[in-house]
Amino acid sequence: MTQHSEVAAVLGGGSFGTAMATILAKNGHTVRLWVRDPETAAAINNDHENPRYLPGTELPEGVQASEDLIECLSGATMVFMAVPSKAFMEVLTQARDHVPEGTLVISCTKGIHADGFLLMSQLLVREWPHTRVGVLSGPNLAREIVEHKFTGTVIASPDADLCKRIQQALSCDYFRVYDSPDMFGVELGGALKNIYAIATGMAAAVGVGDNTRGLLITRSLAEMSRFAARMGGSPMTFLGLAGVGDLIVTCSSSLSRNYQVGYLIGQGHTVEQAVAQLGQTAEGVNTIRLVAERAREQDIYMPLASGLYEILFDGKPLPQVIARLMQGEHNHDVEFTMGSA
């Protein structure tokens, strides 16, 4: 695929932001990675390593880090938003006047904004209406990306030219970029799957069998599709990389932050202890709260998300919640194809 040189600002020096910066730099683009911590910025620039999030992994020299947000944005033709959802609005406000009209802005954050139950792309459209917005999502474990293991992702936007430019900027021999016009569905899938990664991590900690794991993952997909359909999205999007692909990886890999949090909780740690021990953002904890509350308000049947809410926030014992889940009502298997979503 023919490439032309871009100036990319990657906002967020966590594991995924660093992974995106690495691909962009290897593809010959000018890359500026914004990190809050001056020591991390110095380590990236001098030692070519992100010691906090990707220790032991050599980064290309083309990745230039800075704690100066405005400096990173100067002259950028595309901006990748990879900050945690809790900081997303703050960064949008700080950066708004420094992002020119028509700039491509790609959300890489898999979370939900509590005020108004908005996805990150919806915040971008509201706060930066002068930009062109897209979403990047898929089974994209950062460490595997920087280790050049074969990976697929989805760039989603109704803006076809935006999708083409992001495909050109990111595609390489180990990173394949597919496109989708369903920005809402792709982004919602990326947010929802974090809920179920926590569930499968908990299940692994208590020693469930492979049958149980298969049950959890497929019923998680059913809940995600059901919720998406009620929110106005297409459940068919969830059959792709940003749905079932991301769900399988996040629910199966010990590299998944949300899986790790669930595993620690399953071992008896509190939510606070698990998050603190992880040392990184696990978006699924907040997403469980928001989605379970929205499902209750909208009368959407989501027993797994509701059960997790009870365990994490109401202090219900895990065995008690599992027993109730197994005694719940029987539903169709692939229900959204039967018109009953």
Side-chain angles (χ1 to χ4, degrees), residues 31-339:
V31 182
R32 303 181 186 126
L33 178 63
W34 178 62
V35 299
R36 294 181 184 269
D37 178 25
E39 292 185 3
T40 301
I44 291 171
N45 293 333
N46 299 328
D47 304 327
H48 308 298
E49 179 186 8
N50 188 330
R52 179 174 180 183
Y53 294 102
L54 292 168
T57 301
E58 184 177 359
L59 306 179
E61 293 186 6
V63 177
Q64 293 297 307
S66 173
E67 67 273 21
D68 187 329
L69 177 61
I70 309 310
E71 179 185 3
C72 288
L73 288 168
S74 178
T77 57
M78 53 180 58
V79 177
F80 292 81
M81 292 289 295
V83 297
S85 61
K86 64 181 180 181
F88 207 90
M89 190 61 203
E90 174 192 352
V91 175
L92 289 185
T93 302
Q94 292 175 354
R96 181 186 294 117
D97 296 336
H98 303 278
V99 179
E101 183 173 353
T103 302
L104 272 59
V105 184
I106 310 303
S107 174
C108 305
T109 301
K110 298 178 177 181
I112 298 172
H113 184 65
D115 186 7
F117 199 85
L118 298 174
L119 300 178
M120 300 301 106
S121 66
Q122 293 171 318
L123 279 180
L124 279 168
V125 170
R126 188 186 75 184
E127 299 297 321
W128 292 1
H130 61 292
T131 65
R132 299 162 63 188
V133 176
V135 167
L136 194 74
S137 191
N140 300 156
L141 297 172
R143 179 162 290 280
E144 292 196 356
I145 292 173
V146 298
E147 291 174 351
H148 299 181
K149 294 182 178 177
F150 295 121
T151 302
T153 195
V154 180
I155 176 63
S157 176
D159 184 337
D161 182 67
L162 176 150
C163 291
K164 182 178 179 180
R165 277 182 61 186
I166 297 301
Q167 286 177 309
Q168 292 172 336
L170 289 176
S171 294
C172 62
D173 55 1
Y174 61 89
F175 196 71
R176 185 170 177 83
V177 186
Y178 297 83
D179 67 86
S180 169
D182 185 10
M183 188 162 67
F184 178 80
V186 165
E187 188 171 20
L188 187 60
L192 292 178
K193 55 87 185 178
N194 288 327
I195 294 175
Y196 305 104
I198 291 177
T200 54
M202 293 170 63
V206 299
V208 303
D210 291 338
N211 287 343
T212 310
R213 189 175 294 108
L215 172 66
L216 272 174
I217 292 176
T218 51
R219 295 320 301 167
S220 296
L221 182 62
E223 280 198 11
M224 290 167 61
S225 303
R226 188 183 308 128
F227 188 83
R230 286 290 295 275
M231 293 293 104
S234 170
M236 298 306 293
T237 295
F238 287 75
L239 298 180
L241 276 172
V244 67
D246 203 2
L247 180 68
I248 290 171
V249 168
T250 313
C251 289
S252 306
S253 175
S254 59
L255 293 176
S256 162
R257 289 171 291 184
N258 291 282
Y259 180 95
Q260 291 176 49
V261 165
Y263 194 91
L264 290 168
I265 293 170
Q267 288 182 317
H269 296 273
T270 66
V271 176
E272 294 76 15
Q273 290 170 339
V275 172
Q277 186 166 328
L278 178 67
Q280 299 188 46
T281 300
E283 293 283 2
V285 173
N286 186 54
T287 305
I288 288 169
R289 186 195 303 273
L290 296 174
V291 169
E293 291 174 351
R294 179 53 62 100
R296 191 180 308 118
E297 293 168 2
Q298 301 289 327
D299 194 27
I300 305 172
Y301 182 58
M302 299 186 73
L304 290 174
S306 300
L308 282 169
Y309 181 98
E310 293 175 350
I311 294 167
L312 270 60
F313 303 113
D314 292 341
K316 294 273 183 77
L318 176 58
Q320 178 183 328
V321 173
I322 291 175
R324 196 186 73 249
L325 288 172
M326 291 302 294
Q327 295 166 5
E329 64 181 85
H330 299 285
N331 281 338
H332 297 299
D333 182 14
V334 192
E335 59 195 79
F336 62 83
T337 66
M338 302 178 185

